[in-house]
């Protein structure tokens, strides 16, 4: 009789332990899934900044007030779902380029003092016309047509 009671208590303890393990496993799994989802949500904008995915309309044109592009300055904008820039290297001359590095897709930055683009990822350098000046990029930046109207620039 004592033996039977002992086995019954033993089985009960084993079930409690098993139930507790399942609950802990389930709680850890839910916490892990939430952690992964939060990390993805937090890192997505960084990834999109470093390597934009694009996805805009192919025929879309962008109009920018001419006054926003000073001589020697760069004006960043979104072109067909991807980051782009329009420059005025010399008075009345406008150049529109993609700013997605042709190496691994980071967004390049205009160095106004030195008048070239620098990629923050691997130090690729591009001229104001998008030609490779140094670093690992193998090809130039894609360029876009710019029509300079009275007080507007129409790109695309
Ligand atoms: S991604 Fe620009 S140099 Fe590597």
């Amino acid at each position: 009789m004592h033996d039977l009671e002992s086995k019954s208590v033993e089985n009960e303890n084993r079930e409690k332990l098993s139930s507790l393990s399942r609950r802990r496993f389930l709680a850890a799994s839910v916490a892990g899934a939430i952690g992964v989802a939060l990390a993805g949500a937090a890192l997505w904008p960084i990834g999109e900044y470093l390597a934009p995915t694009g996805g805009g309309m192919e025929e879309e044109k962008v109009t920018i007030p001419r006054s926003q592009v000073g001589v020697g300055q760069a004006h960043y904008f979104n072109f067909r779902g991807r980051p782009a820039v329009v420059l005025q290297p010399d008075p009345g001359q406008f150049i529109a380029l993609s700013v997605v590095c042709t190496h691994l897709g980071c967004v390049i930055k205009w160095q106004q003092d030195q008048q070239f683009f620098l990629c923050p990822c691997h130090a690729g350098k591009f001229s104001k016309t998008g030609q490779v000046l140094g670093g690992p990029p193998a090809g130039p930046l894609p360029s876009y047509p710019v029509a300079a109207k009275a007080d507007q620039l129409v790109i695309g």
Side-chain angles (χ1 to χ4, degrees):
M1 190 71 172
H2 180 69
D3 217 23
L4 257 175
E5 279 179 32
S6 171
K7 281 189 179 175
S8 174
V9 169
E10 211 173 276
N11 281 343
E12 200 173 296
N13 284 344
R14 203 174 292 141
E15 281 176 26
K16 281 182 186 172
L17 198 61
S18 174
S19 172
L20 194 59
S21 295
R22 277 194 301 263
R23 265 189 249 136
R24 279 190 183 153
F25 175 75
L26 195 59
S29 297
V30 168
I34 290 171
V36 167
L38 289 176
L43 294 176
W44 183 84
I46 296 169
E48 188 62 23
Y49 171 76
L50 292 175
T53 54
M57 306 273 290
E58 287 304 311
E59 298 305 317
E60 178 188 341
K61 290 183 188 283
V62 173
T63 301
I64 294 172
R66 207 173 161 143
S67 60
Q68 290 189 4
V69 189
V71 176
Q73 296 180 342
H75 176 81
Y76 281 74
F77 64 101
N78 196 22
F79 187 68
R80 298 175 183 165
R82 298 177 71 84
V85 70
V86 60
L87 302 165
Q88 187 179 183
D90 295 306
Q93 178 196 17
F94 294 94
I95 298 170
L97 301 165
S98 164
V99 287
V100 178
C101 183
T102 55
H103 180 224
L104 294 178
C106 294
V107 174
I108 59 171
K109 300 291 172 208
W110 177 242
Q111 309 298 300
Q112 190 165 324
D113 295 347
Q114 294 136 334
Q115 297 287 297
F116 66 79
F117 290 97
L118 181 64
C119 180
C121 293
H122 311 105
K125 286 170 70 176
F126 296 90
S127 72
K128 57 190 171 191
T129 59
Q131 300 306 305
V132 177
L133 296 176
L141 300 169
S143 64
Y144 309 118
V146 183
K149 312 264 172 149
D151 57 352
Q152 302 282 318
L153 301 172
V154 181
I155 298 155

